[in-house]
Amino acid sequence: MFEPFGLERFFARHEFCARYLLCTSDCESMAIDELLALGGQPSEALNALQRTWLGYTESKGSPVLRGKIARLYPDLDPDSILVHSGAEEAILNLYLATVRPGDTVIVNWPCYQSLIEVPKSLGARAVKWNVRERQSRWYFDPDELGRLICKAENSSKPQKVKMVVLNMPHNPTGALMTPPEFDRVVDICRAHGTLLLVDEVYRMLELGNSRRLPPACQLYENAISLSVLSKAWGLAGLRIGWLATHRKDILDQVAAIKDYNSICASAPSETLACVALDHSDEIIARNKSICESNVVHFNHFFERYQELFAWIPTEAGSIAFPALRAAEGIISWHDAADLAARLLRDTGVLILPGALYGREFGLHFRIGLGRRAVPEGLSVFGRWLETRVNN
Ligand SMILES: Cc1ncc(COP(=O)(O)O)c(C=O)c1O
């Protein structure tokens, strides 16, 4: 059985009652009328929505929707896309289709819990590929991945690694590999004949001068790219996610699992997803600029309180993972969970304790950059700190 999903339980408890959400991973959303108005004259999109047939939809996703998704990838056709109800369903279905008890899977660490929890609960051995801090940057070392694969293959019970799982841009650190580092990961997986799942749900939110990586499925024939409209598009309520890969045989196996899960996506969501994909540039530019402006606010905040917090700004994505410094005598909380609980109780500001990613991250907390109300929440946080720090 699955362990409870700590982070999702935390949001289930607090997301809809906290006053200031300072740790969400999705970007600012919009109402349906705002989405429909993006094309200028909303009547055509509104008509399409009103005419949407409310029967079952095609299990793979409508061909029109898959066509629009496929255009996000230079060399994929609609049959290389399998639509899911969010990225979360795609993660579950992909693992159910590919991972067997006793398999070895290497997963970057820390990670969004389902990326490691699902293979573990299916009886696979999940090996952690740890993030490192190097020269004020979060860093996944491709050579370390190579060593982990070799170790698994040369252990007393030698075993080919079934899948390498990388979430890039990374939740929760906001890390982004350089193109040569990413190429190296692909080369290593190719050399070992390993499947590569890249969770790319924060792709397209490269901040400042950060360089966008190509989708993994474009670089490697055995790679599967995962994405969703929840983050860069800010349309989490549509619950439209997808897998993209040249490995149509894998998509067929996943589709057979999906028959036991959501079966197909929601019809109105598919229609609205098509509208969103027709206006990707506009929507993503809006959300990226919210993230970029919020990073500046967080930079000022963490500069002001540098004795209390260690901070590595986000390179890509809509989240970051600052940490408490050992500032004895200045502050009175033991760890980030304690800070988060007091802050929420006193002000209604929600930050996410790092321990929800793993006990070793107890001094860290996650912040979110994607919402317009971040500056307001941050100034409440700042005023609260002023009354607590012993100057
Ligand atoms: C890395 C990562 N993958 C997958 C998901 C799931 O996305 P969704 O909620 O849109 O299904 C999330 C959500 O936070 C995530 O951060």
Side-chain angles (χ1 to χ4, degrees):
M1 261 319 272
F2 302 133
E3 289 289 322
F5 200 136
L7 179 147
E8 295 299 346
R9 285 295 92 214
F10 178 83
F11 275 116
R13 204 161 138 216
H14 299 298
E15 184 173 3
F16 296 95
C17 45
R19 275 180 76 188
Y20 306 100
L21 297 176
L22 223 49
C23 57
T24 58
S25 60
D26 51 349
C27 287
E28 186 80 19
S29 201
M30 62 180 81
I32 290 177
D33 59 356
E34 196 182 335
L35 177 63
L36 296 181
L38 281 177
Q41 179 48 266
S43 58
E44 206 181 303
L46 180 62
N47 280 342
L49 182 63
Q50 286 173 334
R51 285 196 315 269
T52 298
W53 188 253
L54 292 176
Y56 283 108
T57 58
E58 284 193 40
S59 167
K60 286 168 148 187
S62 85
V64 177
L65 174 59
R66 283 186 288 120
K68 290 181 194 292
I69 295 170
R71 281 209 286 279
L72 300 171
Y73 303 89
D75 50 359
L76 291 191
D77 58 42
D79 286 336
S80 311
I81 307 294
L82 182 57
V83 172
H84 279 87
S85 295
E88 187 69 320
E89 191 203 12
I91 292 171
L92 179 64
N93 290 353
L94 176 69
Y95 279 134
L96 283 169
T98 54
V99 170
R100 298 285 164 265
D103 281 349
T104 298
V105 175
I106 297 180
V107 188
N108 68 184
W109 183 255
C111 68
Y112 186 64
Q113 192 172 329
S114 49
L115 292 173
I116 195 159
E117 186 57 37
V118 177
K120 264 168 57 181
S121 63
L122 292 173
R125 191 166 73 99
V127 176
K128 293 174 180 171
W129 173 21
N130 287 305
V131 75
R132 309 274 173 208
E133 249 184 271
R134 210 176 71 169
Q135 294 167 348
S136 306
R137 196 184 151 220
W138 291 110
Y139 175 64
F140 284 101
D141 181 356
D143 292 333
E144 191 175 334
L145 170 67
R147 287 193 292 275
L148 291 173
I149 298 181
C150 290
K151 196 169 161 199
E153 290 182 347
N154 299 313
S155 66
S156 52
K157 280 197 212 150
Q159 205 196 38
K160 202 164 134 35
V161 171
K162 183 66 158 283
M163 193 186 285
V164 167
V165 180
L166 173 63
N167 164 220
M168 190 55 50
H170 180 235
N171 171 355
T173 61
L176 178 69
M177 285 182 154
T178 62
E181 288 163 2
F182 195 52
D183 286 345
R184 180 96 186 94
V185 169
V186 167
D187 289 346
I188 290 168
C189 290
R190 184 177 278 120
H192 291 268
T194 305
L195 291 174
L196 172 64
L197 165 63
V198 183
D199 177 332
E200 298 169 357
V201 303
Y202 297 100
R203 196 167 163 270
M204 318 244 200
L205 288 173
E206 296 73 21
L207 308 185
N209 297 325
S210 300
R211 277 180 65 188
R212 181 171 301 168
L213 295 173
C217 62
Q218 182 189 331
L219 299 183
Y220 178 37
E221 56 287 359
N222 291 318
I224 302 134
S225 293
L226 167 69
S227 197
V228 75
L229 293 182
S230 307
K231 313 296 180 185
W233 284 263
L235 301 172
L238 292 182
R239 310 307 299 133
I240 293 287
W242 59 87
L243 296 171
T245 178
H246 287 285
R247 288 287 305 269
K248 293 180 183 169
D249 59 322
I250 292 182
L251 290 188
D252 288 344
Q253 292 163 33
V254 179
I257 300 287
K258 196 181 162 199
D259 292 339
Y260 284 93
N261 206 325
S262 66
I263 301 179
C264 64
S266 134
S269 285
E270 287 205 332
T271 304
L272 292 168
C274 287
V275 178
L277 287 161
D278 285 341
H279 299 284
S280 292
D281 291 349
E282 219 171 322
I283 298 173
I284 294 171
R286 179 197 81 151
N287 290 338
K288 221 173 99 160
S289 104
I290 294 174
C291 292
E292 282 170 341
S293 124
N294 284 336
V295 168
V296 175
H297 286 282
F298 276 113
N299 281 340
H300 290 150
F301 179 89
F302 287 119
E303 203 178 315
R304 167 84 182 81
Y305 298 108
Q306 53 185 290
E307 285 183 355
L308 303 183
F309 303 113
W311 155 245
I312 299 178
T314 307
E315 287 182 77
S318 43
I319 42 186
F321 208 42
L324 300 183
R325 290 190 196 280
E328 278 104 23
I330 305 184
I331 51 174
S332 56
W333 44 80
H334 329 291
D335 58 18
D338 187 21
L339 163 67
R342 293 173 193 226
L343 180 64
L344 180 65
R345 181 197 62 201
D346 295 350
T347 66
V349 170
L350 191 70
I351 58 172
L352 187 132
L356 293 172
Y357 283 86
R359 257 190 242 128
E360 64 268 49
F361 304 109
L363 290 180
H364 285 263
F365 56 99
R366 189 179 91 176
I367 53 165
L369 311 170
R371 301 287 184 93
R372 283 207 176 101
V374 160
E376 198 188 345
L378 200 52
S379 68
V380 174
F381 189 0
R383 284 200 298 277
W384 181 81
L385 276 178
E386 294 296 330
T387 63
R388 263 148 197 82
V389 175
N390 311 316
N391 288 310

